[in-house]
């Protein structure tokens, strides 16, 4: 088999093995793999504990997690600079057609490679700026609110929690999918067409 | 420096998130249109590997690197917080992704995610503020 781990596209099964292994590695380090707790820590460091009891906790135990997410930023940065071809993704035609109708991509072509996110939404020079930024930040707000409410995000619930056979994580996943499906099919197009 | 191993693990995870296209906005849309198996496949494989590993850790009472027993706390059992919280998280995630994505995309140079991350912090703060009045 001729597989270059740096430049080739990864098969989902390989990525899955790596993600599972990452969770186990942190477990062996004596830590819990969950990234949304860094948001609580950052709020606490920012002084949120003065006003709200939820942010008065011993966040020094969680300091390692800030180094971990700092590493994520660095790792993504290094990947971008040293393996520039790793910044594109293929996309199924059906979703491409949907994105085309939303004006996010120029054409529908099963073989085209797309960047990780549409410039139309994510670039400050886009004609949709700043309303697109408003939509995205609203999404970020809900993501931060919902993950804390549910007690975990993708990593904490859908990787760590499910691996530990937690029913709460399964409930979270089911309602997460319902919310996400409604959001991408109706809510996001509604926002984009009305802002 | 006891934190160096976490930085290195983070660098590795940033690389995995990027190469695995987990941070691709288009990939989430595809997933939520039930139109691609990519991210579902990743979650299923990761959970298969993770569950096997955790089962072995429990069965053989494997200790962590500092020699302490590994105890993975159970999530508190309830319904509303997971259902409502999960739903809201899903609505937001479909538009702007989760924490791992926010951090990695900043590293990849998508600076809009700095604003998104800040908004997510506001969302977290809002939860802390309203926690008492929310059904759990």
């Amino acid at each position: 088999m001729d597989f270059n781990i740096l430049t080739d596209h990864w098969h989902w099964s390989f990525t899955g093995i790596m993600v599972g292994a990452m969770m186990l590695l942190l477990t062996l380090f004596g830590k819990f793999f969950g990234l949304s707790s860094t948001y609580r820590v950052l709020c606490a460091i920012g002084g949120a504990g003065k006003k709200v009891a939820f942010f008065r906790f011993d966040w020094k135990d969680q300091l390692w997690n800030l180094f971990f997410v700092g590493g994520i930023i660095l790792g993504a940065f290094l990947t971008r600079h040293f393996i520039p071809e790793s910044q594109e993704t293929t996309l199924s035609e059906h979703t491409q057609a949907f994105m085309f109708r939303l004006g996010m991509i120029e054409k529908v072509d099963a073989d085209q490679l797309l960047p990780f996110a549409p410039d139309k939404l994510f670039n400050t020079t886009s004609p949709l700026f700043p309303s697109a930024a408003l939509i995205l930040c609203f999404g970020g707000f809900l993501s931060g609110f919902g993950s804390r409410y549910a007690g975990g995000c993708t990593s904490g619930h859908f990787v760590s929690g499910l691996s530990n056979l937690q029913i709460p994580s399964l409930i979270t996943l089911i309602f997460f999918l319902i919310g996400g499906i409604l959001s991408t099919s109706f809510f996001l197009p509604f926002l984009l067409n009305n802002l | 420096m006891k934190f160096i191993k976490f930085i290195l693990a983070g660098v590795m995870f940033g690389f995995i998130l990027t190469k695995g296209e987990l941070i691709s906005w288009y990939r989430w849309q595809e997933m939520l249109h039930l139109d691609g198996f990519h991210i579902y496949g990743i979650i299923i494989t990761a959970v298969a590997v993770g569950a096997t590993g955790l089962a072995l850790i429990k069965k053989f009472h494997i200790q962590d690197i500092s020699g302490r027993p590994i105890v993975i706390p159970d999530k508190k059992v309830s319904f509303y917080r997971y259902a409502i919280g999960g739903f809201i998280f899903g609505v937001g995630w479909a538009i702007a992704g989760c924490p791992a994505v926010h951090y990695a995309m900043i590293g990849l140079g998508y600076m809009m995610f700095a604003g998104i991350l800040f908004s997510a912090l506001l969302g977290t703060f809002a939860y802390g503020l309203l926690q008492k009045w929310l059904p759990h």
Side-chain angles (χ1 to χ4, degrees):
Chain A
M1 240 188 28
D2 199 18
F3 172 61
N4 184 327
I5 193 171
L6 294 179
T7 54
D8 284 354
H9 280 273
W10 286 10
H11 189 261
W12 51 261
S13 60
F14 182 71
T15 309
I17 292 169
M18 297 296 268
V19 172
M22 181 55 61
M23 188 273 286
L24 290 173
L25 178 71
L26 287 181
T27 306
L28 290 175
F29 283 166
K31 307 296 182 196
F32 183 82
F33 178 57
L35 294 177
S36 62
S37 32
T38 57
Y39 286 172
R40 190 180 173 201
V41 174
L42 288 173
C43 283
I45 291 175
K50 281 184 214 128
K51 292 237 183 326
V52 184
F54 181 66
F55 299 103
R56 280 193 286 276
F57 67 106
D58 193 8
W59 49 265
K60 292 208 171 57
D61 284 351
Q62 280 284 321
L63 219 47
W64 69 271
N65 217 344
L66 294 185
F67 285 90
F68 183 63
V69 298
I72 292 178
I73 297 176
L74 181 62
F77 177 81
L78 293 174
T79 311
R80 173 191 179 206
H81 280 268
F82 292 104
I83 326 170
E85 58 270 55
S86 312
Q87 291 210 77
E88 36 200 31
T89 144
T90 55
L91 190 64
S92 76
E93 242 170 314
H94 181 269
T95 307
Q96 283 199 20
F98 188 86
M99 288 301 140
F100 181 74
R101 285 198 298 278
L102 276 185
M104 290 298 127
I105 56 178
E106 306 278 321
K107 59 173 182 183
V108 178
D109 170 4
D111 296 326
Q112 73 178 326
L113 291 170
L114 296 163
F116 282 151
D119 270 346
K120 256 309 206 8
L121 272 186
F122 288 87
N123 203 318
T124 48
T125 56
S126 153
L128 291 182
F129 187 83
S131 53
L134 208 65
I135 295 173
L136 291 170
C137 287
F138 180 58
F141 181 88
L142 293 181
S143 174
F145 182 90
S147 61
R148 199 69 272 126
Y149 194 171
C153 62
T154 324
S155 49
H157 268 309
F158 308 151
V159 180
S160 301
L162 289 181
S163 292
N164 199 26
L165 312 178
Q166 298 292 300
I167 298 297
S169 299
L170 190 62
I171 302 173
T172 308
L173 176 66
I174 291 167
F175 283 86
F176 161 86
L177 285 176
I178 297 171
I181 288 166
L182 292 176
S183 180
T184 195
S185 299
F186 304 108
F187 190 47
L188 182 64
F190 171 81
L191 289 176
L192 284 171
N193 292 329
N194 290 286
L195 270 176
Chain B
M1 247 314 262
K2 60 175 178 172
F3 288 122
I4 281 192
K5 62 177 181 290
F6 296 114
I7 298 176
L8 292 177
V11 169
M12 188 65 204
F13 194 49
F15 175 67
I16 295 170
L17 287 167
T18 309
K19 288 302 300 181
E21 298 171 19
L22 271 165
I23 47 167
S24 163
W25 188 83
Y26 290 116
R27 284 283 188 214
W28 327 325
Q29 306 305 320
E30 179 185 64
M31 167 200 187
L32 294 172
H33 283 284
L34 306 179
D35 190 33
F37 189 66
H38 189 85
I39 293 188
Y40 292 109
I42 291 173
I43 294 178
I44 292 168
T45 321
V47 169
V49 170
T52 311
L54 291 186
L56 290 174
I57 285 172
K58 284 178 194 164
K59 185 166 166 59
F60 295 105
H61 304 286
I62 294 170
Q63 296 171 330
D64 69 19
I65 47 166
S66 38
R68 280 186 296 259
I70 291 175
V71 186
I72 304 149
D74 283 341
K75 301 267 183 202
K76 282 193 199 84
V77 176
S78 88
F79 179 74
Y80 290 113
R81 71 173 300 178
Y82 301 114
I84 306 170
F87 183 87
I88 296 171
F89 176 48
V91 173
W93 189 88
I95 299 170
C98 62
V101 170
H102 301 162
Y103 291 117
M105 285 298 255
I106 290 172
L108 285 168
Y110 288 87
M111 290 326 285
M112 185 70 86
F113 277 92
I116 295 174
L117 195 153
F118 184 74
S119 312
L121 290 180
L122 290 180
T124 305
F125 181 72
Y127 169 74
L129 211 58
L130 302 174
Q131 192 190 25
K132 279 182 278 189
W133 297 285
L134 296 170
H136 275 80

